[in-house]
Amino acid sequence: MACNANRVPFLRVIARRGFSAAANPRPLGQPAQVQTKVLENKVVVASAESQLPVCRVSITFRAGARFENYESLGASHMLRIAGSLSSQNATAFALTRNLQQKGISLSVTSDREVVSYTVESTLDSVECGLHYLQEVVQPAFKPWELSDAVPWIKTQVAAVPPQVRAVELAHKSAFRHGLGNSVYIPKFHIGSLSSETLLHYVANNCTASRCAVVGVGLEHDTLVGFARSLPLKSGDGKSDASTYHGGDARKDTPGNYTHVAVAGPGAGVSNQKEALAFSVLQYAMGAGSFTKRGNVNGAMGQAVHAAVGEGNFAFAALNASYLDAGLFGFVVSADAQKVGKAISAATKVLKSGSVSENDVNRGKALLKRAVLEAYGTDKDVLTEMGVQACLTKQVQSADALVSAIDSVSAQEVQAAAKKAGSSNLSVGAVGNLSHVPYASELV
């Protein structure tokens, strides 16, 4: 059975023009150079050269979990599920068969800010990929398909790692609503969100002014033409700001292990200077081990290691930046008998608001490495482009970001540390909570 996308003349032109992108692929590891354009309908289009003869295109909407209200909690999770279900013009069978026939990968991801639909294909199959990418952003939410997906959704929710659950609870205690909404559907809404509720959510949030189309391995003009062909409605949708509160969200489970996320207020990406200071602080405090079975460097990681000793534990600094707000703190997993000591040690460092010059320099070096690594691979640069284009309406080059990181001063990093540590903390905890302190006890 031939791919139905062959019947679309405009996409056939896109496919032919896209072949020229393979002529000069980007050398492996070299940061991608990005082109950006804002269309008349406010859709942001960004493109970069590819390292391989593979096209990757994403349509990203500001339709993440923060835009859900109580009645639509879990809608963004259902958008991830709907990526493999029928659209307005194509059945689930047609989507699956035609994409698999061409060897095309389709995925849907989401977080608290955005929902992204992505296709990956070879250049000779990009015609089919773009056709069905255009289809999946128009979900049908057929009631019988939603009903059939319930066991799958329950499995996904049950398989969420406890560390992730702790971070989700920390967001809930920090923001309560908006950014406090989980990226996973609550159990009481599994199977109860109607087609009308989901279609209303899509109509309000998946609009042209909240959309970005990004691609790697496709000519910029070609991508602009594809973006203009998308059947997107106008409208600004919901954009309420989230307020930081602080507090506790705890879930007791059986066992002898505990997972805890503790955080204070961070920075939003709308304030790039402050957001970069918090990113440097994350790596300075200890963003995880960078060598296999190695210890976590940084004042916070070393303090946790000293408190726990040789016991089994895992630790990483937490930095979550959204458009207008953020969280900064740490995540620790340890034996229930020792987790209290680990939390107290890490909180003491967080509350101190002190960062050494050496830690700041190390944090800047590690952050620059992370930026260059993200811009050096097609998959990561596509994700980075989609988030930046959707939230800030522009995409910065790797060189610009590295230069901005170099300009971050030790005083700005100190100010970020004091902001996070001087406020009421938020605690999310899962597991054996017999030795987990409450937020009011973390002084």
Side-chain angles (χ1 to χ4, degrees):
M1 177 178 175
C3 175
N4 289 334
N6 292 328
R7 302 174 186 172
V8 186
F10 178 72
L11 292 179
R12 191 176 303 122
V13 173
I14 285 180
R16 287 201 300 267
R17 293 180 63 188
F19 293 152
S20 62
N24 296 296
R26 187 174 86 252
L28 289 173
Q30 179 178 309
Q33 299 300 315
V34 181
Q35 289 182 274
T36 308
K37 180 181 178 67
V38 180
L39 304 185
E40 301 79 7
N41 60 356
K42 299 182 181 179
V43 174
V44 183
V45 182
S47 65
E49 294 178 344
S50 176
Q51 296 175 326
L52 302 168
V54 174
C55 288
R56 291 178 170 89
V57 180
S58 285
I59 300 177
T60 303
F61 294 102
R62 283 199 69 204
R66 72 175 299 176
F67 304 107
E68 300 166 356
N69 56 32
Y70 187 82
E71 289 73 24
S72 63
L73 287 176
S76 61
H77 188 167
M78 294 306 298
L79 288 180
R80 298 200 299 270
I81 298 294
S84 60
L85 305 181
S86 298
S87 68
Q88 299 285 352
N89 303 306
T91 65
F93 175 77
L95 284 167
T96 302
R97 174 162 183 174
N98 284 299
L99 291 175
Q100 289 185 347
Q101 189 177 26
K102 294 287 186 176
I104 300 171
S105 170
L106 169 67
S107 60
V108 186
T109 58
S110 70
D111 57 24
R112 284 178 168 77
E113 288 280 13
V114 301
V115 176
S116 295
Y117 300 84
T118 304
V119 292
E120 301 178 17
S121 72
T122 56
L123 286 169
D124 58 352
S125 300
V126 67
E127 174 186 356
C128 183
L130 292 180
H131 173 70
Y132 285 106
L133 179 61
Q134 191 176 40
E135 289 295 334
V136 295
V137 298
Q138 305 173 71
F141 297 117
K142 296 179 179 178
W144 56 91
E145 290 187 340
L146 295 179
S147 178
D148 291 343
V150 166
W152 182 18
I153 298 170
K154 289 182 177 179
T155 300
Q156 286 187 349
V157 172
V160 177
Q163 296 91 338
V164 176
R165 291 184 184 276
V167 174
E168 293 292 300
L169 290 174
H171 278 82
K172 185 68 176 178
S173 62
F175 298 108
R176 301 179 184 173
H177 310 289
L179 288 174
N181 295 339
S182 175
V183 296
Y184 299 97
I185 186 171
K187 291 183 178 179
F188 62 84
H189 267 179
I190 296 178
S192 64
L193 287 179
S194 66
S195 300
E196 291 75 15
T197 299
L198 296 172
L199 289 170
H200 180 72
Y201 184 83
V202 170
N204 282 346
N205 295 287
C206 297
T207 60
S209 62
R210 303 167 69 89
C211 175
V213 178
V214 297
V216 177
L218 209 60
E219 285 186 343
H220 186 70
D221 290 342
T222 301
L223 199 62
V224 168
F226 171 69
R228 285 197 170 110
S229 72
L230 294 175
L232 299 175
K233 298 179 180 178
S234 59
D236 294 329
K238 178 182 177 183
S239 297
D240 296 338
S242 287
T243 303
Y244 180 87
H245 299 282
D248 296 273
R250 302 159 68 99
K251 182 176 179 60
D252 290 277
T253 59
N256 298 317
Y257 221 64
T258 309
H259 313 273
V260 182
V262 178
V269 297
S270 56
N271 185 345
Q272 187 192 54
K273 197 74 172 177
E274 188 180 25
L276 286 177
F278 270 101
S279 296
V280 171
L281 181 63
Q282 177 189 12
Y283 286 94
M285 287 294 187
S289 174
F290 287 91
T291 59
K292 189 174 183 179
R293 300 187 183 90
N295 292 330
V296 178
N297 293 318
M300 197 180 288
Q302 292 172 354
V304 171
H305 187 268
V308 177
E310 298 302 320
N312 293 327
F313 76 96
F315 167 86
L318 169 67
N319 179 39
S321 290
Y322 305 101
L323 180 61
D324 57 343
L327 285 181
F328 184 86
F330 61 88
V331 182
V332 62
S333 298
D335 184 85
Q337 303 296 322
K338 297 183 177 181
V339 72
K341 296 179 180 179
I343 295 171
S344 297
T347 302
K348 184 178 180 179
V349 176
L350 181 64
K351 287 284 189 179
S352 71
S354 177
V355 190
S356 69
E357 187 76 28
N358 287 337
D359 282 340
V360 170
N361 291 334
R362 182 171 49 81
K364 290 168 72 172
L366 290 173
L367 178 58
K368 287 189 288 186
R369 167 198 159 277
V371 168
L372 292 173
E373 185 176 22
Y375 275 76
T377 59
D378 289 354
K379 186 175 182 179
D380 289 341
V381 76
L382 186 76
T383 302
E384 188 68 24
M385 286 164 55
V387 173
Q388 287 190 39
C390 206
L391 297 187
T392 67
K393 301 297 182 181
Q394 61 181 347
V395 180
Q396 295 198 46
S397 67
D399 291 340
L401 280 176
V402 169
S403 177
I405 293 169
D406 283 329
S407 68
V408 175
S409 66
Q411 291 74 23
E412 289 169 333
V413 178
Q414 293 275 6
K418 290 177 181 178
K419 176 181 178 179
S422 61
S423 303
N424 294 328
L425 296 180
S426 303
V427 178
V430 176
N432 185 332
L433 308 184
S434 57
H435 294 81
V436 177
Y438 286 85
S440 59
E441 299 171 346
L442 296 176
V443 294

CSV table of all heavy atoms in Angstrom, one decimal, residues 115-153:
chain,number,residue,atom,x,y,z
A,115,VAL,N,4.2,20.8,24.6
A,115,VAL,CA,4.0,19.5,24.0
A,115,VAL,C,4.6,19.5,22.7
A,115,VAL,O,4.4,20.4,21.9
A,115,VAL,CB,2.5,19.2,23.9
A,115,VAL,CG1,2.2,17.9,23.2
A,115,VAL,CG2,1.8,19.2,25.3
A,116,SER,N,5.4,18.5,22.4
A,116,SER,CA,6.2,18.4,21.1
A,116,SER,C,5.8,17.2,20.3
A,116,SER,O,5.9,16.1,20.9
A,116,SER,CB,7.7,18.5,21.3
A,116,SER,OG,8.1,19.7,21.9
A,117,TYR,N,5.5,17.3,19.0
A,117,TYR,CA,5.3,16.2,18.1
A,117,TYR,C,6.5,16.2,17.2
A,117,TYR,O,6.8,17.2,16.5
A,117,TYR,CB,4.0,16.5,17.3
A,117,TYR,CG,2.8,16.6,18.1
A,117,TYR,CD1,2.4,17.8,18.7
A,117,TYR,CD2,1.9,15.5,18.3
A,117,TYR,CE1,1.2,17.9,19.5
A,117,TYR,CE2,0.8,15.6,19.1
A,117,TYR,CZ,0.4,16.8,19.7
A,117,TYR,OH,-0.7,16.9,20.4
A,118,THR,N,7.2,15.0,17.1
A,118,THR,CA,8.4,14.9,16.3
A,118,THR,C,8.4,13.7,15.4
A,118,THR,O,8.0,12.6,15.8
A,118,THR,CB,9.6,14.8,17.3
A,118,THR,OG1,9.6,15.9,18.2
A,118,THR,CG2,10.9,14.8,16.5
A,119,VAL,N,8.9,14.0,14.2
A,119,VAL,CA,9.1,12.9,13.2
A,119,VAL,C,10.6,12.8,12.9
A,119,VAL,O,11.2,13.9,12.8
A,119,VAL,CB,8.3,13.0,11.9
A,119,VAL,CG1,6.8,12.8,12.2
A,119,VAL,CG2,8.5,14.3,11.2
A,120,GLU,N,11.1,11.6,12.7
A,120,GLU,CA,12.5,11.4,12.2
A,120,GLU,C,12.4,10.5,11.0
A,120,GLU,O,11.8,9.5,11.1
A,120,GLU,CB,13.3,10.8,13.3
A,120,GLU,CG,13.4,11.6,14.6
A,120,GLU,CD,14.2,11.0,15.6
A,120,GLU,OE1,15.0,10.0,15.3
A,120,GLU,OE2,14.1,11.3,16.8
A,121,SER,N,13.0,11.0,9.9
A,121,SER,CA,13.0,10.2,8.7
A,121,SER,C,14.2,10.4,7.8
A,121,SER,O,14.9,11.4,8.0
A,121,SER,CB,11.7,10.5,7.9
A,121,SER,OG,11.8,11.7,7.3
A,122,THR,N,14.4,9.6,6.9
A,122,THR,CA,15.5,9.9,5.9
A,122,THR,C,14.9,10.9,4.9
A,122,THR,O,13.7,11.1,4.8
A,122,THR,CB,15.8,8.6,5.1
A,122,THR,OG1,14.6,8.0,4.5
A,122,THR,CG2,16.5,7.6,6.0
A,123,LEU,N,15.8,11.5,4.1
A,123,LEU,CA,15.3,12.6,3.2
A,123,LEU,C,14.3,12.1,2.2
A,123,LEU,O,13.4,12.9,1.8
A,123,LEU,CB,16.6,13.2,2.5
A,123,LEU,CG,17.4,14.1,3.4
A,123,LEU,CD1,18.7,14.5,2.8
A,123,LEU,CD2,16.7,15.4,3.8
A,124,ASP,N,14.5,10.9,1.7
A,124,ASP,CA,13.6,10.4,0.7
A,124,ASP,C,12.2,10.1,1.2
A,124,ASP,O,11.3,9.8,0.5
A,124,ASP,CB,14.1,9.3,-0.1
A,124,ASP,CG,14.5,8.1,0.8
A,124,ASP,OD1,14.4,8.2,2.0
A,124,ASP,OD2,14.9,7.0,0.3
A,125,SER,N,12.0,10.1,2.6
A,125,SER,CA,10.7,9.8,3.2
A,125,SER,C,10.1,10.9,3.9
A,125,SER,O,9.1,10.8,4.6
A,125,SER,CB,10.9,8.6,4.2
A,125,SER,OG,11.4,7.4,3.6
A,126,VAL,N,10.8,12.1,3.8
A,126,VAL,CA,10.3,13.3,4.6
A,126,VAL,C,8.9,13.7,4.1
A,126,VAL,O,8.2,14.2,4.9
A,126,VAL,CB,11.4,14.4,4.4
A,126,VAL,CG1,11.4,15.0,3.0
A,126,VAL,CG2,11.0,15.5,5.4
A,127,GLU,N,8.6,13.5,2.9
A,127,GLU,CA,7.3,13.8,2.4
A,127,GLU,C,6.2,13.2,3.2
A,127,GLU,O,5.2,13.8,3.7
A,127,GLU,CB,7.2,13.4,0.9
A,127,GLU,CG,5.8,13.6,0.3
A,127,GLU,CD,5.8,13.0,-1.1
A,127,GLU,OE1,6.8,12.6,-1.6
A,127,GLU,OE2,4.7,13.0,-1.7
A,128,CYS,N,6.3,11.9,3.4
A,128,CYS,CA,5.4,11.1,4.2
A,128,CYS,C,5.4,11.6,5.7
A,128,CYS,O,4.3,11.7,6.3
A,128,CYS,CB,5.7,9.6,4.1
A,128,CYS,SG,4.5,8.5,5.0
A,129,GLY,N,6.6,11.8,6.2
A,129,GLY,CA,6.7,12.2,7.6
A,129,GLY,C,6.0,13.5,7.9
A,129,GLY,O,5.3,13.6,8.9
A,130,LEU,N,6.2,14.5,7.0
A,130,LEU,CA,5.6,15.8,7.3
A,130,LEU,C,4.1,15.7,7.1
A,130,LEU,O,3.3,16.4,7.8
A,130,LEU,CB,6.2,16.8,6.3
A,130,LEU,CG,7.7,17.2,6.5
A,130,LEU,CD1,8.1,18.2,5.5
A,130,LEU,CD2,7.9,17.7,7.9
A,131,HIS,N,3.6,14.9,6.2
A,131,HIS,CA,2.2,14.7,6.0
A,131,HIS,C,1.5,14.2,7.3
A,131,HIS,O,0.5,14.8,7.8
A,131,HIS,CB,1.9,13.8,4.9
A,131,HIS,CG,0.4,13.4,4.7
A,131,HIS,ND1,-0.5,14.3,4.3
A,131,HIS,CD2,-0.2,12.3,5.0
A,131,HIS,CE1,-1.7,13.8,4.3
A,131,HIS,NE2,-1.6,12.5,4.7
A,132,TYR,N,2.1,13.2,7.9
A,132,TYR,CA,1.5,12.6,9.1
A,132,TYR,C,1.8,13.4,10.3
A,132,TYR,O,1.1,13.3,11.3
A,132,TYR,CB,1.9,11.1,9.2
A,132,TYR,CG,1.1,10.3,8.2
A,132,TYR,CD1,1.7,9.8,7.1
A,132,TYR,CD2,-0.3,10.1,8.4
A,132,TYR,CE1,0.9,9.0,6.2
A,132,TYR,CE2,-1.0,9.4,7.5
A,132,TYR,CZ,-0.4,8.9,6.4
A,132,TYR,OH,-1.2,8.1,5.5
A,133,LEU,N,2.9,14.2,10.3
A,133,LEU,CA,3.1,15.1,11.4
A,133,LEU,C,2.0,16.1,11.5
A,133,LEU,O,1.5,16.5,12.5
A,133,LEU,CB,4.5,15.8,11.3
A,133,LEU,CG,4.9,16.8,12.3
A,133,LEU,CD1,5.0,16.1,13.7
A,133,LEU,CD2,6.2,17.4,12.0
A,134,GLN,N,1.6,16.6,10.3
A,134,GLN,CA,0.5,17.5,10.2
A,134,GLN,C,-0.8,16.9,10.7
A,134,GLN,O,-1.7,17.6,11.2
A,134,GLN,CB,0.4,18.0,8.7
A,134,GLN,CG,-0.6,19.2,8.5
A,134,GLN,CD,-0.6,19.6,7.1
A,134,GLN,OE1,-0.5,18.8,6.2
A,134,GLN,NE2,-0.5,20.9,6.9
A,135,GLU,N,-0.9,15.6,10.5
A,135,GLU,CA,-2.1,14.9,10.9
A,135,GLU,C,-2.2,14.8,12.5
A,135,GLU,O,-3.3,15.0,13.1
A,135,GLU,CB,-2.2,13.5,10.3
A,135,GLU,CG,-2.5,13.5,8.8
A,135,GLU,CD,-3.9,14.1,8.5
A,135,GLU,OE1,-4.8,14.0,9.4
A,135,GLU,OE2,-4.1,14.6,7.4
A,136,VAL,N,-1.1,14.4,13.1
A,136,VAL,CA,-1.2,14.1,14.5
A,136,VAL,C,-1.4,15.3,15.4
A,136,VAL,O,-1.8,15.2,16.6
A,136,VAL,CB,0.1,13.3,15.0
A,136,VAL,CG1,0.2,12.0,14.3
A,136,VAL,CG2,1.4,14.2,14.8
A,137,VAL,N,-1.1,16.5,14.9
A,137,VAL,CA,-1.4,17.7,15.7
A,137,VAL,C,-2.9,18.1,15.6
A,137,VAL,O,-3.3,19.1,16.1
A,137,VAL,CB,-0.6,18.9,15.2
A,137,VAL,CG1,0.9,18.6,15.4
A,137,VAL,CG2,-0.9,19.3,13.8
A,138,GLN,N,-3.7,17.2,14.9
A,138,GLN,CA,-5.2,17.4,14.9
A,138,GLN,C,-5.8,16.1,15.4
A,138,GLN,O,-6.5,15.4,14.7
A,138,GLN,CB,-5.6,17.6,13.4
A,138,GLN,CG,-4.9,18.8,12.7
A,138,GLN,CD,-5.3,18.8,11.3
A,138,GLN,OE1,-6.4,19.2,10.9
A,138,GLN,NE2,-4.4,18.5,10.4
A,139,PRO,N,-5.7,15.8,16.7
A,139,PRO,CA,-6.2,14.6,17.3
A,139,PRO,C,-7.7,14.5,17.3
A,139,PRO,O,-8.4,15.6,17.4
A,139,PRO,CB,-5.6,14.6,18.7
A,139,PRO,CG,-5.4,16.0,19.0
A,139,PRO,CD,-5.0,16.6,17.7
A,140,ALA,N,-8.3,13.3,17.2
A,140,ALA,CA,-9.7,13.2,17.2
A,140,ALA,C,-10.3,12.8,18.5
A,140,ALA,O,-11.4,13.1,18.8
A,140,ALA,CB,-10.1,12.1,16.1
A,141,PHE,N,-9.5,12.1,19.4
A,141,PHE,CA,-9.9,11.7,20.7
A,141,PHE,C,-11.3,10.9,20.6
A,141,PHE,O,-12.2,11.2,21.3
A,141,PHE,CB,-10.1,12.9,21.6
A,141,PHE,CG,-8.8,13.6,21.9
A,141,PHE,CD1,-8.7,15.0,21.5
A,141,PHE,CD2,-7.8,13.0,22.5
A,141,PHE,CE1,-7.6,15.7,21.8
A,141,PHE,CE2,-6.6,13.7,22.8
A,141,PHE,CZ,-6.5,15.0,22.4
A,142,LYS,N,-11.3,9.9,19.8
A,142,LYS,CA,-12.5,9.0,19.6
A,142,LYS,C,-12.7,8.3,21.0
A,142,LYS,O,-11.8,7.7,21.5
A,142,LYS,CB,-12.3,8.1,18.5
A,142,LYS,CG,-12.2,8.8,17.1
A,142,LYS,CD,-12.0,7.8,16.0
A,142,LYS,CE,-11.9,8.6,14.7
A,142,LYS,NZ,-11.7,7.7,13.5
A,143,PRO,N,-13.9,8.3,21.5
A,143,PRO,CA,-14.2,7.8,22.8
A,143,PRO,C,-13.8,6.3,23.0
A,143,PRO,O,-13.2,5.9,24.0
A,143,PRO,CB,-15.7,7.9,22.9
A,143,PRO,CG,-16.1,9.1,22.1
A,143,PRO,CD,-15.1,9.0,20.9
A,144,TRP,N,-14.0,5.5,21.9
A,144,TRP,CA,-13.6,4.1,22.1
A,144,TRP,C,-12.1,3.9,22.1
A,144,TRP,O,-11.6,2.9,22.7
A,144,TRP,CB,-14.3,3.3,20.9
A,144,TRP,CG,-13.9,3.7,19.5
A,144,TRP,CD1,-12.9,3.3,18.7
A,144,TRP,CD2,-14.7,4.7,18.8
A,144,TRP,NE1,-13.0,4.0,17.5
A,144,TRP,CE2,-14.0,4.8,17.5
A,144,TRP,CE3,-15.8,5.5,19.0
A,144,TRP,CZ2,-14.5,5.7,16.5
A,144,TRP,CZ3,-16.2,6.4,18.0
A,144,TRP,CH2,-15.6,6.5,16.8
A,145,GLU,N,-11.4,4.7,21.4
A,145,GLU,CA,-9.9,4.6,21.5
A,145,GLU,C,-9.4,5.1,22.8
A,145,GLU,O,-8.4,4.5,23.4
A,145,GLU,CB,-9.3,5.5,20.3
A,145,GLU,CG,-9.5,4.9,19.0
A,145,GLU,CD,-8.7,5.7,17.9
A,145,GLU,OE1,-8.3,6.8,18.1
A,145,GLU,OE2,-8.5,5.1,16.8
A,146,LEU,N,-10.0,6.1,23.4
A,146,LEU,CA,-9.6,6.6,24.7
A,146,LEU,C,-9.9,5.5,25.8
A,146,LEU,O,-9.1,5.3,26.7
A,146,LEU,CB,-10.3,7.8,25.1
A,146,LEU,CG,-10.0,9.1,24.3
A,146,LEU,CD1,-10.9,10.3,24.8
A,146,LEU,CD2,-8.6,9.5,24.3
A,147,SER,N,-11.0,4.8,25.6
A,147,SER,CA,-11.3,3.7,26.5
A,147,SER,C,-10.3,2.5,26.4
A,147,SER,O,-9.9,2.0,27.4
A,147,SER,CB,-12.8,3.2,26.2
A,147,SER,OG,-13.1,2.1,27.0
A,148,ASP,N,-10.0,2.2,25.1
A,148,ASP,CA,-9.0,1.1,24.9
A,148,ASP,C,-7.6,1.5,25.5
A,148,ASP,O,-6.8,0.6,25.8
A,148,ASP,CB,-8.9,0.8,23.4
A,148,ASP,CG,-10.2,0.2,22.8
A,148,ASP,OD1,-11.0,-0.3,23.6
A,148,ASP,OD2,-10.3,0.2,21.6
A,149,ALA,N,-7.3,2.7,25.6
A,149,ALA,CA,-6.0,3.2,26.1
A,149,ALA,C,-5.8,3.2,27.6
A,149,ALA,O,-4.7,3.3,28.1
A,149,ALA,CB,-5.6,4.6,25.5
A,150,VAL,N,-6.9,3.0,28.3
A,150,VAL,CA,-6.9,3.0,29.8
A,150,VAL,C,-5.9,2.1,30.4
A,150,VAL,O,-5.1,2.5,31.3
A,150,VAL,CB,-8.3,2.8,30.4
A,150,VAL,CG1,-8.2,2.6,31.9
A,150,VAL,CG2,-9.2,4.0,30.1
A,151,PRO,N,-5.8,0.8,30.0
A,151,PRO,CA,-4.8,-0.1,30.6
A,151,PRO,C,-3.4,0.4,30.4
A,151,PRO,O,-2.5,0.3,31.3
A,151,PRO,CB,-5.0,-1.4,29.9
A,151,PRO,CG,-6.5,-1.4,29.5
A,151,PRO,CD,-6.7,0.0,29.1
A,152,TRP,N,-3.1,0.9,29.2
A,152,TRP,CA,-1.8,1.5,28.9
A,152,TRP,C,-1.5,2.7,29.7
A,152,TRP,O,-0.4,2.8,30.3
A,152,TRP,CB,-1.8,1.8,27.4
A,152,TRP,CG,-0.5,2.4,26.9
A,152,TRP,CD1,0.8,2.2,27.4
A,152,TRP,CD2,-0.3,3.2,25.7
A,152,TRP,NE1,1.7,2.9,26.6
A,152,TRP,CE2,1.1,3.4,25.6
A,152,TRP,CE3,-1.2,3.6,24.7
A,152,TRP,CZ2,1.6,4.2,24.5
A,152,TRP,CZ3,-0.6,4.3,23.6
A,152,TRP,CH2,0.7,4.6,23.6
A,153,ILE,N,-2.4,3.6,30.0
A,153,ILE,CA,-2.2,4.7,30.8
A,153,ILE,C,-2.0,4.3,32.2
A,153,ILE,O,-1.1,4.9,32.9
A,153,ILE,CB,-3.5,5.7,30.7
A,153,ILE,CG1,-3.7,6.2,29.3
A,153,ILE,CG2,-3.3,6.8,31.7
A,153,ILE,CD1,-5.0,6.9,29.1
